[in-house]
Amino acid sequence: MKNLSIQLKIMAISIFIIILYTFFMALDSINTIKIISNNNIKKYEQEAYQNKENDLKSYISIAITTVDSIQRRGSKEQIKKNLKLQTNQLFSIINTFYDKYKDTMTKEELKNNLKFLIINARYANNGYYWINENEYKILEHPIYPQLNGIEVSKMYKGKAFKQVEASLKNAKLNGSGFMEYKWLRKNSKIKEDKISYLRVFKPYGWIIGTGVYLEDVKKSLQKEALETLSKMKYGKNGYFWVNDFTPTMLMHPVLPELNGENLSKYTDPNGIYVFNKIVQICKSKQKGGFVKYSWIKPYINKTFQKISYVQAYEKWNWIIGTGEYVTDIQKQIEFMKNQTDEEISNIIQSFFIKIIFAISFIIILIHFLVKYNIIIPIQNFQKNFMIFIDYINSRRQDISLIKNYSNDEIGQMSNILNTNILIAKEKFDKEIELKKELKDLNDKLEVKIQEEVLKSKTIEEKLFESERLASMGEMIGNIAHQWRQPLSVISTGSTGLLVQSELGVLDNDKLIKTCTSINNNAQYLSKTIDDFRNFIKGDRIKNSFRLSSQIDSFLKLVEGSIKSNNIKIILSLDKSINIDGYENELTQCMMNIYNNAKDALVENIKEERYIFISTTQEENNIVIKIKDNANGIPTKVLPKIFDPYFTTKHQSKGTGLGLHMTYNLIVNGMNGKIEAKNVEYEYENKKYKGAMFTITLPIN
């Protein structure tokens, strides 16, 4: 600060003291607010989690009570009560039937009808009734008809027989009774615990019985309990789930895809084996507890932190759980933190306001002292310096020297700036002359470039026409080759007719057969001429045509070349495809691609020369693929094949415009795309490699 004026030193020191004092005051306030806020957040978090835990315990208590009330319906007393009720309902029906028809039906008819009613009666899906003729013999059994007429003593031995015999005798003696025993379930080899209710039909002395497997009752009640829990909800998205100790998910109402899945290997994003931890908690002395983990939130499909309370239901070896996401707690904590940050921000804002007011006061105080000695000269220098910058950046056409009223540092800088103004003016005058000369040269060069571009375009058009004529010349050679056999057939046929006529051995059948052959070959020649004439027209007329027919016409034009070079054409055409486009131009493109493929096959392949052509429709595009088995295009060459004048052939065999012309016709003329790549493929159990050209055209 030794080089500053007294006025600037006073200003700097004053500003520094104000800033330092305000800073320490703000720092102390911020620290106090943070301590109070952190204590409040911690207290809120503890209370919020405690409330969540109490609520979850209450919800699980309700769920356990609900399941327990359902489980109690599976007690033997309740089962016996239900069996007795079902049997009494059946007896009401058969007693009514018996009283109604005992005097109008024969005894045998009445018995048969009653037996039919009893063995066909059903309840609760699988409940059925059987009939014992007496306490020793089965009369009718709807599930096991093979037992009809079998003595009970043959089905049970020892203690089991005595137990069953006692139950039957008790029912016979008292008119009804219950029987607990083991019975073989249908399609099972294991006998299971069963309870049955027996009642005597007095008119015939029958003992009618029905029963249930204890395991069926248990499973039915478990199913009912799971369905009940799946429908129980609390709050906005509160639900219950049930898994066992394996741990396998028995019921999850929100993610039913987990039902039946073993979740021992399931981990949340933090690597916690959630369900293994749940099992561990429920195996403890408390038989339940809290677990924290991350889980997918319903209807959002995002993972959030969750706290759940789980409790073992030992009667069925179940674990029942429910939980709540702690996002609301976290949101409140975040809100409290944001509130703290806002208070801190207000303190900082107040800090800056105080500084601004203090500094403003000091500036106003000393403003008039420094304005005329420092500020105005600096502003004057700054203004003229910006004028100088605009001048050297060509934003001003002229500039004047700065007027200098002092000999201090600002005056010295003004003198230096005036020196640079004089140097810049001299330099800019020279640049103006050079720019004028350069403009004249550019104007002449632009005219010359336009002339050369026009010449280049004319040469390219002539070369394109030359390429087309070359294709036509090759095609004429193909047609001449194609005509040899038909002309030979026509000549031979007509000569044969003439000779047979002179010898008098010509019959009518021979005449018709030979004339038909001559006519067919003549039609073939005519069709070849039509195809060639359509191609050489060169009319750029847009029309709708069948793509498969256009490919057939193209193949006829090159049929001679195909045969002479022993090339096999493999077609896979969608004959339903129609194109609204330029048929002749597409034929020219196929001709260029075919000629390149043919030359590559002749050069590289001695036997089994193939060209594959396929057409497909993909959405709104037509895709034409042409591939060969000539071992492909060299990797270095492949990116350049559509460039003008690029060819790998001898100068006498190619201009390098065939594929360039094809590219222009497809891309610029038909709004399509063309690309080439090397492919490996299999045909008739043999592997081949070659180039594949893919043409993509819009349908319209």
Side-chain angles (χ1 to χ4, degrees):
M1 295 177 64
K2 63 182 181 179
N3 296 323
L4 295 177
S5 65
I6 298 297
Q7 294 157 326
L8 291 177
K9 287 179 181 179
I10 293 171
M11 182 182 292
I13 292 170
S14 301
I15 292 171
F16 176 75
I17 291 172
I18 292 170
I19 292 173
L20 192 64
Y21 174 76
T22 310
F23 173 76
F24 280 112
M25 289 293 292
L27 195 65
D28 182 63
S29 299
I30 290 169
N31 187 52
T32 303
I33 290 171
K34 280 188 174 182
I35 292 171
I36 295 171
S37 176
N38 289 336
N39 291 335
N40 290 338
I41 290 171
K42 189 174 181 181
K43 183 179 179 182
Y44 166 77
E45 187 174 11
Q46 289 174 347
E47 291 177 353
Y49 273 105
Q50 186 62 49
N51 291 336
K52 285 276 188 192
E53 290 175 358
N54 292 338
D55 289 343
L56 293 175
K57 275 187 176 182
S58 298
Y59 297 143
I60 287 294
S61 177
I62 293 169
I64 292 291
T65 302
T66 302
V67 173
D68 204 45
S69 67
I70 295 172
Q71 187 274 337
R72 285 198 298 272
R73 298 207 324 258
S75 65
K76 289 184 179 181
E77 291 74 17
Q78 188 64 38
I79 292 171
K80 289 177 179 180
K81 183 178 178 181
N82 291 337
L83 289 174
K84 186 175 181 179
L85 178 63
Q86 295 294 338
T87 305
N88 289 342
Q89 289 176 353
L90 175 68
F91 265 75
S92 176
I93 295 170
I94 62 177
N95 282 330
T96 301
F97 188 87
Y98 176 81
D99 292 338
K100 185 176 180 180
Y101 294 104
K102 65 182 179 180
D103 296 326
T104 57
M105 288 185 182
T106 65
K107 186 177 181 180
E108 195 61 31
E109 285 177 335
L110 189 55
K111 276 187 175 183
N112 289 334
N113 279 296
L114 286 170
K115 283 192 288 185
F116 180 81
L117 284 173
I118 294 166
I119 64 173
N120 286 287
R122 295 290 185 272
Y123 63 91
N125 295 326
N126 298 317
Y128 63 89
Y129 300 90
W130 78 90
I131 308 170
N132 276 26
E133 188 173 0
N134 50 50
E135 63 267 36
Y136 299 109
K137 185 189 291 185
I138 294 176
L139 179 63
E140 291 284 348
H141 199 293
I143 306 301
Y144 298 101
Q146 65 270 25
L147 298 178
N148 296 348
I150 300 297
E151 296 286 342
V152 176
S153 59
K154 293 182 179 180
M155 294 186 291
Y156 293 95
K157 302 294 182 183
K159 185 178 179 181
F161 170 70
K162 289 181 180 180
Q163 184 180 357
V164 172
E165 182 185 36
S167 298
L168 290 169
K169 283 183 176 181
N170 179 63
K172 187 75 172 178
L173 179 64
N174 298 312
S176 65
F178 292 97
M179 179 169 64
E180 296 184 22
Y181 60 106
K182 289 186 180 293
W183 186 254
L184 189 67
R185 189 190 293 272
K186 191 173 183 179
N187 300 324
S188 175
K189 296 180 179 180
I190 301 173
K191 289 184 177 182
E192 299 181 28
D193 290 328
K194 193 170 185 179
I195 295 177
S196 290
Y197 178 65
L198 310 170
R199 182 173 171 180
V200 177
F201 184 61
K202 294 179 180 179
Y204 300 133
W206 293 346
I207 299 176
I208 300 172
T210 186
V212 292
Y213 292 99
L214 297 183
E215 184 63 24
D216 286 350
V217 174
K218 178 182 176 183
K219 288 181 179 178
S220 175
L221 293 174
Q222 286 178 336
K223 182 180 178 182
E224 180 185 345
L226 291 175
E227 289 177 353
T228 301
L229 288 178
S230 70
K231 296 174 183 177
M232 290 174 62
K233 297 289 186 291
Y234 60 88
K236 290 184 178 179
N237 298 309
Y239 61 87
F240 299 92
W241 81 88
V242 181
N243 59 271
D244 60 20
F245 282 81
T246 55
T248 297
M249 182 63 69
L250 302 179
M251 182 280 296
H252 198 292
V254 178
L255 298 173
E257 62 269 20
L258 295 180
N259 294 346
E261 293 291 327
N262 185 291
L263 301 174
S264 58
K265 295 183 180 179
Y266 175 83
T267 59
D268 73 350
N270 300 316
I272 297 173
Y273 287 86
V274 178
F275 289 92
N276 289 348
K277 190 173 182 180
I278 287 172
V279 171
Q280 186 179 1
I281 289 171
C282 290
K283 284 183 176 180
S284 65
K285 291 182 180 180
Q286 291 76 20
K287 304 299 180 184
F290 292 95
V291 58
K292 293 181 180 180
Y293 56 98
S294 296
W295 192 257
I296 297 173
K297 194 168 187 179
Y299 316 114
I300 298 178
N301 291 330
K302 288 185 179 180
T303 302
F304 294 95
Q305 189 176 353
K306 190 172 186 179
I307 181 171
S308 291
Y309 184 71
V310 293
Q311 185 172 331
Y313 185 69
E314 295 179 294
K315 294 177 182 178
W316 284 345
N317 285 325
W318 282 4
I319 297 174
I320 302 174
T322 188
E324 286 196 26
Y325 296 93
V326 295
T327 50
D328 54 343
I329 298 175
Q330 293 170 342
K331 283 181 181 178
Q332 182 61 26
I333 292 171
E334 190 66 28
F335 172 76
M336 294 172 74
K337 287 180 179 178
N338 291 337
Q339 206 171 26
T340 302
D341 292 340
E342 188 176 348
E343 290 181 17
I344 292 171
S345 177
N346 290 335
I347 290 172
I348 293 172
Q349 188 176 359
S350 174
F351 160 69
F352 280 112
I353 290 172
K354 289 177 182 178
I355 289 178
I356 290 169
F357 274 112
I359 292 174
S360 298
F361 176 76
I362 293 172
I363 290 173
I364 292 170
L365 185 66
I366 64 174
H367 169 72
F368 293 101
L369 297 174
V370 298
K371 178 179 179 181
Y372 294 101
N373 293 309
I374 299 173
I375 302 301
I376 291 176
I378 289 174
Q379 289 175 343
N380 184 50
F381 176 79
Q382 183 181 13
K383 177 182 176 182
N384 286 283
F385 182 76
M386 294 306 298
I387 291 171
F388 175 69
I389 295 298
D390 288 342
Y391 177 72
I392 62 175
N393 286 312
S394 302
R395 290 194 292 269
R396 290 179 65 93
Q397 300 298 321
D398 196 14
I399 188 171
S400 301
L401 296 176
I402 302 173
K403 294 180 180 180
N404 191 5
Y405 298 102
S406 64
N407 293 320
D408 56 10
E409 290 83 353
I410 297 174
Q412 293 174 7
M413 287 190 294
S414 297
N415 291 333
I416 294 170
L417 185 59
N418 283 334
T419 302
N420 282 278
I421 288 172
L422 293 172
I423 295 170
K425 288 186 73 172
E426 183 180 354
K427 181 180 178 182
F428 283 175
D429 290 341
K430 291 181 180 179
E431 285 183 359
I432 290 170
E433 292 180 7
L434 288 173
K435 285 179 181 179
K436 186 177 180 182
E437 293 177 4
L438 183 61
K439 185 177 182 303
D440 293 339
L441 287 174
N442 285 338
D443 292 342
K444 292 178 182 178
L445 182 61
E446 186 175 351
V447 173
K448 187 69 175 175
I449 289 171
Q450 289 177 351
E451 291 175 354
E452 292 300 323
V453 167
L454 184 61
K455 287 180 183 179
S456 176
K457 186 175 181 182
T458 304
I459 292 170
E460 185 170 318
E461 288 175 352
K462 289 181 180 180
L463 286 172
F464 272 15
E465 185 62 25
S466 173
E467 186 73 20
R468 178 177 171 81
L469 292 173
S471 297
M472 288 166 55
E474 185 171 348
M475 215 180 310
I476 291 170
N478 292 337
I479 292 171
H481 184 81
Q482 288 175 240
W483 277 23
R484 287 176 185 171
Q485 183 179 355
L487 288 172
S488 175
V489 171
I490 292 170
S491 176
T492 303
S494 60
T495 304
L497 289 175
L498 185 61
V499 171
Q500 290 177 17
S501 177
E502 290 175 353
L503 296 175
V505 295
L506 180 63
D507 57 32
N508 192 47
D509 291 340
K510 184 68 174 177
L511 176 63
I512 292 171
K513 183 177 180 181
T514 304
C515 287
T516 301
S517 175
I518 291 171
N519 180 63
N520 289 340
N521 282 277
Q523 291 294 329
Y524 174 77
L525 297 177
S526 176
K527 182 68 171 61
T528 305
I529 291 170
D530 289 341
D531 291 339
F532 181 67
R533 183 173 62 242
N534 290 334
F535 174 70
I536 65 173
K537 278 182 183 178
D539 298 335
R540 196 172 193 273
I541 299 173
K542 193 173 185 180
N543 63 312
S544 180
F545 59 91
R546 181 65 57 88
L547 180 57
S548 60
S549 300
Q550 180 269 330
I551 293 174
D552 289 340
S553 298
F554 154 68
L555 292 174
K556 287 178 182 176
L557 292 175
V558 295
E559 186 175 359
S561 172
I562 292 169
K563 290 180 179 178
S564 63
N565 291 296
N566 295 320
I567 298 172
K568 294 180 182 178
I569 304 296
I570 310 300
L571 299 177
S572 176
L573 307 180
D574 183 344
K575 296 190 177 181
S576 66
I577 296 176
N578 290 316
I579 296 182
D580 189 16
Y582 304 99
E583 186 173 3
N584 278 346
E585 292 186 0
L586 185 57
T587 301
Q588 179 67 59
C589 295
M590 290 185 177
M591 187 79 69
N592 292 339
I593 294 172
Y594 165 78
N595 286 335
N596 278 275
K598 176 202 68 178
D599 292 343
L601 287 168
V602 170
E603 182 178 348
N604 299 322
I605 305 299
K606 302 301 180 184
E607 297 178 352
E608 294 186 340
R609 297 169 179 168
Y610 292 109
I611 293 178
F612 298 82
I613 304 175
S614 67
T615 62
T616 56
Q617 181 172 332
E618 299 177 2
E619 294 182 352
N620 294 322
N621 293 317
I622 304 301
V623 180
I624 305 169
K625 294 184 179 180
I626 304 173
K627 66 182 178 184
D628 56 50
N629 65 324
N631 294 328
I633 303 169
T635 306
K636 293 181 179 180
V637 172
L638 190 58
K640 304 176 184 178
I641 61 172
F642 294 118
D643 293 349
Y645 312 114
F646 179 80
T647 179
T648 58
K649 303 174 186 175
H650 189 270
Q651 205 168 17
S652 63
K653 291 185 179 181
T655 63
L657 283 175
L659 290 179
H660 177 60
M661 179 171 68
T662 299
Y663 181 88
N664 281 339
L665 290 174
I666 295 296
V667 176
N668 300 325
M670 304 183 197
N671 293 324
K673 294 191 297 185
I674 182 170
E675 59 180 4
K677 64 179 180 180
N678 293 324
V679 294
E680 293 183 1
Y681 59 95
E682 189 173 305
Y683 176 68
E684 293 185 345
N685 298 322
K686 287 188 178 180
K687 292 185 178 180
Y688 298 100
K689 181 181 179 182
M692 181 171 74
F693 287 80
T694 302
I695 298 172
T696 305
L697 300 174
I699 292 177
N700 296 320

